[in-house]
Amino acid sequence: MSAPPVLDAPSPFDAAWRQEVGAGLDAGGLALIDQAVAWAEPRFEGQHALTGEPLAGHGAGVVRVLAALHTDAATRAAALLAALPTDLMAPAPSLRNDPVAAAFGAEVARLVHGTRALLRLGVVARQASDAEAESGSQKEMQRKMLLAMAADLRIVLMRLASRLRSLRWHAESKAPCSTAFARETLDLYAPLANRLGIWQIKWEMEDLAFRFLEPEKYKQIARLLEEKRVEREAFIAGAIERLQAALAKSGVEAEVSGRPKHIYSIWNKMRVKGLDFSQMYDLRALRVIVDDVRACYTALGMVHEMWTPISEEFDDYISRPKPNGYRSLHTVVTDDDGRPFEVQIRTREMHQFAEYGMAAHWRYKEAGAKGGQVAASSEYDRQLAWMRQLLAWNTDVEGGGEPAKPAAGKPATGKGRNAAAAPAHTDERIYVLTPQARVIELPAGATPVDFAYHLHTDLGHRCRGARVDGQMVPLQTRLSTGQTVEIISAKSGGPSRDWLNPQLGFLASPRARAKVRMWFNAIELQQRITQGQALVEKELQRLGKTAVNLEQLAQNLGFARADDLYVAAAKEEFSLRQIDTLFQQPAPAAEPQPAALRNASAGSAEKSGKSGVLVVGVGSLLTQLARCCRPAPPDSIAGFVTRGRGVSIHRSDCHSYQALAAREPERVIEVAWGETSDTFYPVDISVRAHDRSGLLRDLSEVFARLRLNVVGVNTQSKQSLAHMVFTVEVRGGESLSRALDALAEVPGVSSAARR
């Protein structure tokens, strides 16, 4: 804190201030405020914030904001005391040793401690060096953390009021406001006020922050608003008079007024929707406040009778409230000149909530010696139940999701002044910080080990110690929201089996516990594999079969992999005698050949050596048909002169031939078919089919019916699919085509083609 000299500065705690901040309080509440002023004022003397704002003025301004939100006396007194200079990074004293608790009681002291904890969070977050801490998801997590730390809603209200007061001071004093401060307001505090439905604070925060972030754009919109102010005010006055008269004539009691304009919301709508200032229909707007819901819809009907409604701009937030509880009717109509303007219609109760949100229902009354008991009402209970749901955000409301609503007929049962501090639900969450100020969400009761596993599985395995808020703590320490946790890890190693013992309290997260189990399961599996492999190899040595392929051996024994065989052997679920039995079995009988399988015919080109191929321009040369492509008339063919085996005849599209020709083009020779009518040529036919009993027999019958000689067959079956390659002797292309067509008609065959 700095203390620039200020000569004869008037006290902010004057009679006007006392009257304003004492509004709505009884004699006991006023006495508490007076006591707080007497205790704090001498401690404020000459103290300033780092920005230059006098701390006394700040405290007084915060209490003014809270008084406007109708908070209780304890909240207003605690806000004043929380503005006193203090070392935020020092641990909070226990209530037993806290001078605030001694002077004002435990309730006020807890509020002060909670507020300073939120201030500390802000300091840590601003010092963050982790880029992820600036991401949208981290901003959302910080909002959750703020509410989780402030289970008592009054602490959140105090923090919002403090931020608003700081913005007001910058505006009033014209002291420079840092862009980081204004940006944090838009990213964190204004959305938080929106979540709580406190639009009165939200709108003012947004306008002030926007003024500091974009001063030129702010002045431009303010100037445009001012230019049309006289015309706009004249229209609003006429519309109010006309609508009030019509409502009174119908017997509807209503308050009709113009709705205030918020520069940030105007700019944001222009930016998001790509509109010009002249296209903004809600620059002129009316607000109608009536007694009950029926009157809301009656007033809506009258508005639509008097002016022409724009149907796509109608929103019924009464039947379908916003996630944060806001209720109202919104409609856009056009005046006699066709210019649109907005009308909002709501009850007084809805208006109270729209202005103050959750704060409107945070009512206290004096009751008995203890005092400060919560007013028991079904409306309050509903709001408290909603607050509990808010404390357990699981979805991003701003992104379109909605928090779960409490079940109908099941109001919250919290009692007492700190009812909101009761557990929100059975699956509570806590929010802690990494040393780089990244917020981590963990289950309630989580330990540093849970934290380490959440960051990274390997870090969890190597976790050996932890620092919480800079102090070394045992690994069983239960973490609390707002703490900064640093993990001390070994370079290598794994978890302890003690971590799985629930009695020792090392782990609270089922996810972290599962990761520890997986580690030990993997270790145990590897040990079993090593043990089983030794047993199998020892048995093979005994049998003199050390050169056996172990993967093939495992498959022959019915296992998918060798590791599965080793595990079964180690667990004694497999008898090693089965290995000996496997080697003792006679060799499997050769698969019976299909009926059509015969030896090559006498006229076969392979057997006779007469290929019927003429080598152009050369006399009698030895030729042979290449087996890679098995050419047959009338295929387009080409020759390649081999070393010592004459001319090899290939199909022109044969990949092997094309590779040879590209490598040694000088050895390519032109060839052509000669007399081939008496010669049989072997060709390969590939058949793919769904495997079934009798498939090979049916295919063989096709070859027999066409009188084709099958000289070779190779079959493979995998996962109920069969792939067969038949080597068939044909005289030419016509008999091959007939064979392919007939094979394709066999049931189960998906394709039949020449290979």
Side-chain angles (χ1 to χ4, degrees):
M1 299 290 176
S2 58
V6 180
L7 300 176
D8 300 324
S11 171
F13 308 108
D14 54 19
W17 177 85
R18 186 182 184 280
Q19 183 179 0
E20 185 178 349
V21 302
L25 299 182
D26 58 13
L30 290 171
L32 181 62
I33 297 297
D34 289 340
Q35 181 189 357
V37 171
W39 198 84
E41 192 167 17
R43 293 172 170 81
F44 276 130
E45 188 174 356
Q47 295 292 331
H48 289 69
L50 293 175
T51 57
E53 181 183 8
L55 291 183
H58 180 84
V62 171
V63 179
R64 271 199 179 94
V65 175
L66 292 170
L69 294 176
H70 310 300
T71 54
D72 65 325
T75 307
R76 302 182 203 185
L80 184 61
L81 300 173
L84 288 168
T86 186
D87 181 4
L88 293 176
M89 306 315 290
S94 64
L95 293 179
R96 187 180 307 169
N97 302 321
D98 188 359
V100 174
F104 298 93
E107 180 185 10
V108 172
R110 275 194 291 267
L111 292 174
V112 172
H113 289 178
T115 303
R116 287 175 176 168
L118 293 191
L119 286 169
R120 173 184 170 275
L121 170 63
V123 171
V124 173
R126 280 191 290 274
Q127 294 173 347
S129 59
D130 189 345
E132 189 174 354
E134 294 302 316
S135 68
S137 63
Q138 278 295 301
K139 292 296 182 185
E140 176 62 21
M141 195 70 81
Q142 284 183 5
R143 293 182 198 120
K144 291 183 182 183
M145 188 171 180
L146 279 167
L147 284 178
M149 288 183 71
D152 190 327
L153 174 63
R154 295 173 293 176
I155 298 175
V156 183
L157 299 180
M158 291 163 63
R159 189 71 202 98
L160 291 173
S162 175
R163 176 54 62 107
L164 178 57
R165 171 55 203 167
S166 295
L167 291 167
R168 285 177 176 177
W169 177 81
H170 281 288
E172 293 164 1
S173 66
K174 295 185 170 44
C177 178
S178 71
T179 55
F181 189 85
R183 175 54 59 192
E184 184 183 48
T185 300
L186 285 180
D187 288 345
L188 184 59
Y189 290 95
L192 181 58
N194 180 60
R195 287 289 177 89
L196 297 174
I198 311 173
W199 279 274
Q200 186 186 58
I201 286 183
K202 170 186 178 287
W203 284 328
E204 188 175 356
M205 275 188 176
E206 288 179 339
D207 277 4
L208 289 171
F210 179 59
R211 174 178 173 179
F212 300 131
L213 282 173
E214 302 283 354
E216 294 303 320
K217 291 177 182 175
Y218 180 91
K219 290 176 184 176
Q220 179 186 6
I221 295 174
R223 187 169 56 251
L224 290 169
L225 284 172
E226 182 62 25
E227 288 172 359
K228 300 285 186 179
R229 182 175 59 84
V230 175
E231 177 189 341
R232 185 171 62 250
E233 288 177 353
F235 169 81
I236 292 295
I240 289 174
E241 183 179 353
R242 184 179 171 190
L243 181 56
Q244 271 183 329
L247 290 169
K249 187 176 180 181
S250 300
V252 177
E253 291 189 15
E255 298 173 14
V256 185
S257 61
R259 186 172 68 82
K261 308 300 173 295
H262 301 287
I263 292 178
Y264 176 77
S265 63
I266 292 172
W267 173 80
N268 202 38
K269 191 171 290 186
M270 290 170 59
R271 180 179 60 87
V272 171
K273 295 189 175 183
L275 300 175
D276 187 71
F277 184 81
S278 60
Q279 299 173 290
M280 298 295 292
Y281 60 77
D282 56 353
L283 296 178
R284 305 180 304 162
L286 298 181
R287 177 172 291 150
V288 182
I289 300 176
V290 295
D291 291 333
D292 53 35
V293 173
R294 176 179 291 183
C296 287
Y297 290 99
T298 302
L300 176 68
M302 298 190 68
V303 168
H304 284 178
E305 282 181 12
M306 297 172 66
W307 295 288
T308 305
I310 301 176
S311 58
E312 61 268 20
E313 294 293 344
F314 172 68
D315 291 300
D316 185 350
Y317 294 121
I318 293 180
S319 60
R320 294 184 302 277
K322 288 187 177 183
N324 52 17
Y326 175 84
R327 301 175 72 205
S328 185
L329 294 176
H330 290 193
T331 186
V332 177
V333 294
T334 56
D335 62 12
D336 298 336
D337 297 326
R339 294 176 299 179
F341 66 97
E342 185 183 54
V343 181
Q344 295 180 354
I345 307 171
R346 60 177 68 140
T347 66
R348 288 181 175 82
E349 183 183 12
M350 293 174 191
H351 180 64
Q352 187 77 355
F353 185 86
E355 291 299 300
Y356 305 111
M358 287 300 302
H361 300 277
W362 200 255
R363 301 195 183 104
Y364 286 76
K365 67 178 180 180
E366 298 301 324
K370 293 185 178 179
Q373 299 299 312
V374 174
S377 69
S378 59
E379 178 62 26
Y380 172 80
D381 285 340
R382 282 196 295 273
Q383 296 302 328
L384 181 56
W386 179 83
M387 180 63 189
R388 288 179 172 180
Q389 293 293 333
L390 188 63
L391 289 174
W393 286 327
N394 288 321
T395 55
D396 185 356
V397 177
E398 288 172 351
E402 294 189 9
K405 295 183 175 65
K410 294 184 179 180
T413 57
K415 297 179 181 178
R417 71 184 64 170
N418 291 320
H425 51 94
T426 55
D427 183 27
E428 282 190 278
R429 313 297 289 175
I430 64 169
Y431 303 91
V432 296
L433 297 165
T434 67
Q436 296 79 29
R438 185 157 62 96
V439 182
I440 303 297
E441 183 180 35
L442 296 170
T447 66
V449 184
D450 290 302
F451 174 84
Y453 273 109
H454 183 94
L455 293 179
H456 197 281
T457 301
D458 186 55
L459 180 63
H461 291 336
R462 296 184 290 107
C463 175
R464 295 295 178 267
R467 290 189 183 93
V468 175
D469 291 335
Q471 302 294 319
M472 288 293 298
V473 297
L475 290 180
Q476 301 100 316
T477 302
R478 291 194 169 197
L479 302 176
S480 300
T481 292
Q483 292 179 325
T484 298
V485 185
E486 180 184 357
I487 297 300
I488 300 169
S489 61
K491 290 185 178 180
S492 60
S496 166
R497 286 193 181 273
D498 289 343
W499 294 0
L500 292 174
N501 186 342
Q503 306 289 332
L504 299 178
F506 280 98
L507 292 170
S509 164
R511 183 165 170 258
R513 198 175 289 113
K515 289 182 177 182
V516 176
R517 284 200 198 95
M518 286 176 61
W519 165 276
F520 286 109
N521 288 344
I523 293 294
E524 184 179 352
L525 177 64
Q526 191 56 51
Q527 290 173 344
R528 289 190 183 280
I529 289 174
T530 303
Q531 180 185 356
Q533 184 174 5
L535 292 172
V536 170
E537 289 178 349
K538 184 176 180 181
E539 178 66 13
L540 290 173
Q541 274 185 339
R542 188 183 69 80
L543 297 173
K545 303 289 186 180
T546 54
V548 172
N549 184 316
L550 294 174
E551 291 290 341
Q552 188 64 47
L553 174 66
Q555 291 175 11
N556 291 339
L557 291 169
F559 295 94
R561 301 176 306 142
D563 284 353
D564 297 336
L565 168 62
Y566 302 151
V567 172
K571 295 169 70 174
E572 298 183 354
E573 294 174 354
F574 168 78
S575 174
L576 295 174
R577 292 182 181 178
Q578 294 184 42
I579 298 177
D580 188 17
T581 305
L582 179 68
F583 287 119
Q584 299 281 333
Q585 289 177 354
E591 182 180 343
Q593 293 183 340
L597 190 60
R598 301 185 179 89
N599 294 326
S601 60
S604 169
E606 281 192 343
K607 189 170 184 180
S608 66
K610 298 178 180 179
S611 65
V613 176
L614 301 176
V615 179
V616 179
V618 183
S620 179
L621 285 178
L622 173 66
T623 60
Q624 60 177 353
L625 300 177
R627 293 194 176 189
C628 55
C629 56
R630 293 193 183 277
D635 293 338
S636 173
I637 55 176
F640 187 83
V641 179
T642 67
R643 290 186 174 88
R645 290 181 290 114
V647 179
S648 177
I649 309 301
H650 296 262
R651 282 156 50 187
S652 298
D653 58 358
C654 174
H655 294 298
S656 298
Y657 164 73
Q658 291 173 353
L660 291 169
R663 190 168 62 245
E664 299 180 88
E666 70 279 2
R667 299 174 66 180
V668 173
I669 191 169
E670 187 177 350
V671 295
W673 294 110
E675 178 57 43
T676 60
S677 58
D678 297 330
T679 307
F680 291 95
Y681 296 89
V683 296
D684 290 337
I685 297 176
S686 172
V687 178
R688 297 182 184 275
H690 293 285
D691 202 1
R692 62 174 173 82
S693 178
L695 175 64
L696 186 59
R697 182 195 64 234
D698 293 347
L699 296 174
S700 299
E701 288 177 356
V702 170
F703 294 122
R705 187 172 70 250
L706 296 176
R707 296 181 180 178
L708 295 176
N709 191 25
V710 180
V711 296
V713 61
N714 182 21
T715 65
Q716 293 179 338
S717 180
K718 185 177 183 181
Q719 295 180 349
S720 77
L721 297 176
H723 180 211
M724 307 180 186
V725 179
F726 296 92
T727 303
V728 184
E729 291 182 338
V730 298
R731 285 186 182 273
E734 185 179 346
S735 58
L736 176 61
S737 298
R738 284 200 307 270
L740 294 177
D741 292 341
L743 291 170
E745 294 176 0
V746 175
V749 172
S750 57
S751 68
R754 183 177 177 187
R755 194 174 175 185

